[in-house]
């Protein structure tokens, strides 16, 4: 347990002072995107590499994925809590395929646009769509969440299932989503939270310290729960709602876990990643994972923390706090009328 | 139509000459891959002045995307 605590402190240090990492563990990344706005924006993720990950995921993706389906099901369940219909909807990247498959008429969607940055993924969705004739009228677009190609005030609903945590400019992506919504339109998103794959992170850090004498980023920085509400407010959404769920998936071994991540298109896309993983370090990681977190039956658990975000575009009919000083009844009067009696 | 240029957010027009979606405000043409519009900024190709002129002369219609 002491080594676990030490690993956690190192992780915190790494998150805060990434530039202090030993230089020999950094690799020269590909040229940054020529379309970069410049300024002080930090580019954390290699979007071109993530696109290639998505291309590969389109080919190795499992037909049904228990974890992805559970998250998509939870996201769609929120539509049943709304008393209005959303005729036009946009479904962004990540696990949009699962969302489409599990929609089953919820939300009253009549026209659906499905968008991903990977052409292969979009084509795969279209094949699945052609296989089933029912459901809403569906259109397909290849696009980037950070540069949303959707007209302003055109959608009733925008959903994103496990995709936005790979954006460099998450607030910017969410602002664009809000602008694409009609007034009183709904934004629904599920992103991976900071506790995701904590076991793998710890095991990998310990293994690298033992074998290589230093650490390099092996896992992406992920949003913390307390950040999600700020993100919604900062993007201009009203009535923000955030809640968290945690899923534990069990694997027979660490290799199976890595294969699952690859099938989901969730492998490392950091600019500052070390592209080489030594076999020695990989084997040590698997051994440490097993010894620190392995279960009685020999399988290993992996944690996936999912943050669900709900936000609405502003509309006059929405409830909001009244202006300060506009009260007509005082709390003192209420206290006198309903307070505890003397006897 | 709900599709716009990902960079300028202005409407697109379909160019039948080379089968692409053109954003006049940004001077960029986006490809249509197998019937699916590709509106990722990196996929866009800058239009040179001559292309812009020739394409404006050809018949155009709104994107059906």
């Amino acid at each position: 347990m002491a080594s676990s605590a030490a690993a956690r402190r190192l992780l915190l240090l790494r998150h805060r002072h990434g530039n202090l990492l030993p230089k020999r563990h950094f690799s020269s990344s590909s040229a940054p995107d020529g379309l970069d706005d410049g300024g002080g924006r930090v580019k954390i993720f290699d979007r071109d590499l993530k696109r290639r990950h998505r291309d590969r995921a389109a080919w190795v993706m499992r037909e049904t994925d228990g974890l992805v389906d559970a998250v998509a099901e939870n996201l769609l369940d929120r539509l049943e809590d709304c008393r209005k219909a959303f005729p036009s909807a946009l479904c962004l990247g990540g696990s949009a395929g699962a969302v489409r498959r599990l929609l089953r008429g919820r939300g009253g969607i009549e026209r659906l646009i499905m968008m991903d940055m990977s052409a292969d993924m979009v084509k795969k969705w279209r094949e699945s769509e052609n296989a089933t004739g029912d459901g809403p009228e569906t259109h397909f677009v290849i696009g980037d969440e950070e540069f949303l190609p959707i007209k302003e005030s055109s959608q009733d609903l925008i959903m994103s299932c496990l995709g936005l945590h790979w954006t460099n400019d998450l607030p910017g992506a969410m602002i664009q989503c809000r602008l694409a919504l009609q007034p009183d339109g709904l934004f629904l998103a599920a992103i991976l939270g900071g506790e995701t794959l904590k076991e793998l992170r710890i095991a990998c850090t310990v293994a690298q310290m033992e074998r290589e004498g230093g650490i390099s980023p092996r896992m992406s920085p992920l949003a913390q729960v307390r950040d999600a509400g700020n993100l919604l407010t900062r993007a201009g959404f009203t009535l923000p709602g955030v809640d968290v769920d945690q899923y534990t998936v069990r694997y027979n071994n660490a290799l199976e876990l890595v294969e699952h991540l690859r099938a989901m298109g969730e492998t490392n896309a950091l600019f500052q990643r070390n592209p080489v993983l030594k076999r020695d370090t990989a084997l040590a990681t698997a051994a440490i994972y097993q010894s620190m977190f392995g279960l009685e039956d020999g399988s290993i658990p992996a944690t996936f923390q999912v943050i669900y975000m709900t936000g609405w575009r502003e509309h006059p009919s929405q409830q909001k706090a009244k202006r300060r000083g506009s009260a007509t009844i005082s709390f003192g009067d209420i206290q006198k009328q309903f307070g505890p009696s003397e006897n | 139509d709900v599709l716009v240029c990902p960079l300028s957010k202005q409407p697109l027009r379909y160019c039948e000459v080379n089968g692409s979606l053109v954003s006049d405000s940004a001077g960029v043409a986006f490809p249509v891959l197998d019937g699916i519009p590709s509106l990722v900024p990196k996929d866009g190709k800058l239009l040179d002045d001559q292309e812009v002129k020739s394409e404006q002369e050809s018949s155009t219609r709104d994107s059906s995307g």
Side-chain angles (χ1 to χ4, degrees), chain A residues 85-140:
Chain A
F86 304 101
S88 61
L90 168 68
C91 197
L92 300 172
S95 308
V99 172
R100 170 67 193 90
R101 179 164 29 88
L102 299 170
L103 193 60
R104 288 197 293 265
R106 282 180 279 200
I109 296 170
E110 295 163 11
R111 296 176 303 282
L112 177 65
I113 299 175
M114 295 176 71
M115 188 189 96
D116 193 79
M117 70 177 87
S118 159
D120 289 349
M121 184 66 75
V122 176
K123 288 173 185 174
K124 188 176 183 66
W125 290 344
R126 191 172 61 171
E127 288 169 18
S128 302
E129 183 71 18
N130 293 339
T132 68
D134 64 325
E137 169 194 341
T138 308
H139 302 274
F140 302 94

Side-chain angles (χ1 to χ4, degrees), chain A residues 32-35 48 51 113 116-117 119 122-123 126 139-144 147-152 154-155 176, chain B residues 1-7 9 11-12 28 30-44 46 64-65:
Chain A
D33 194 332
L35 293 169
D48 291 331
R51 202 177 185 188
I113 299 175
D116 193 79
M117 70 177 87
V122 176
K123 288 173 185 174
R126 191 172 61 171
H139 302 274
F140 302 94
V141 179
I142 301 163
D144 192 333
F147 302 94
L148 207 64
I150 304 296
K151 188 166 79 171
E152 191 169 325
S154 62
Q155 303 297 310
Q176 291 181 70
Chain B
D1 186 60
V2 298
L3 295 184
V4 294
C5 171
L7 297 165
K9 312 298 184 189
L12 298 163
V28 177
F30 296 96
V32 177
L33 308 176
D34 193 15
I36 304 175
S38 178
L39 300 173
V40 178
K42 226 169 168 58
D43 285 351
L46 288 175
S64 60

Side-chain angles (χ1 to χ4, degrees), chain A residues 203-221:
Chain A
C204 203
T205 301
V206 173
Q208 280 201 289
M209 286 193 293
E210 286 184 1
R211 305 290 175 171
E212 299 175 17
I215 60 175
S216 71
R218 289 290 172 189
M219 283 198 53
S220 322

Side-chain angles (χ1 to χ4, degrees), chain A residues 36-102:
Chain A
D36 191 352
D37 296 8
R41 180 180 299 179
V42 175
K43 279 203 166 291
I44 300 169
F45 299 116
D46 185 343
R47 296 288 278 177
D48 291 331
L49 178 63
K50 179 47 60 180
R51 202 177 185 188
R52 292 198 293 276
H53 287 170
R54 300 285 301 163
D55 282 342
R56 180 181 59 187
W59 295 99
V60 302
M61 187 168 59
R62 305 173 180 181
E63 210 53 44
T64 58
D65 185 318
L67 170 68
V68 169
D69 286 3
V71 175
E73 183 65 35
N74 269 278
L75 198 69
L76 291 167
D77 185 66
R78 282 154 174 74
L79 291 179
E80 301 189 40
D81 297 330
C82 302
R83 289 184 296 178
K84 59 178 285 188
F86 304 101
S88 61
L90 168 68
C91 197
L92 300 172
S95 308
V99 172
R100 170 67 193 90
R101 179 164 29 88
L102 299 170

Side-chain angles (χ1 to χ4, degrees), chain B residues 1-2 11 15-17 19 25 28 30-32 36 38-39 41-42 44-45 48 50 52-53 55 57-58 63:
Chain B
D1 186 60
V2 298
C15 176
E16 293 178 5
V17 172
S25 56
V28 177
F30 296 96
V32 177
I36 304 175
S38 178
L39 300 173
K42 226 169 168 58
K45 290 177 169 48
D48 54 73
Q50 188 172 354
V52 172
K53 184 178 180 182
E55 282 178 358
E57 290 168 358
S58 65
S63 161

Side-chain angles (χ1 to χ4, degrees), chain A residues 65-78 95 98-99 102 106 159-163 165 188-192 245-247 249 264 304-308:
Chain A
D65 185 318
L67 170 68
V68 169
D69 286 3
V71 175
E73 183 65 35
N74 269 278
L75 198 69
L76 291 167
D77 185 66
R78 282 154 174 74
S95 308
V99 172
L102 299 170
R106 282 180 279 200
M159 296 179 283
S160 170
C161 184
L162 299 180
H165 52 271
L188 266 183
I191 62 175
L192 292 177
D245 220 342
Q246 192 149 294
Y247 304 86
V249 185
M264 284 198 290
F304 292 87
Q305 185 192 49
V306 180
I307 302 174
Y308 295 92

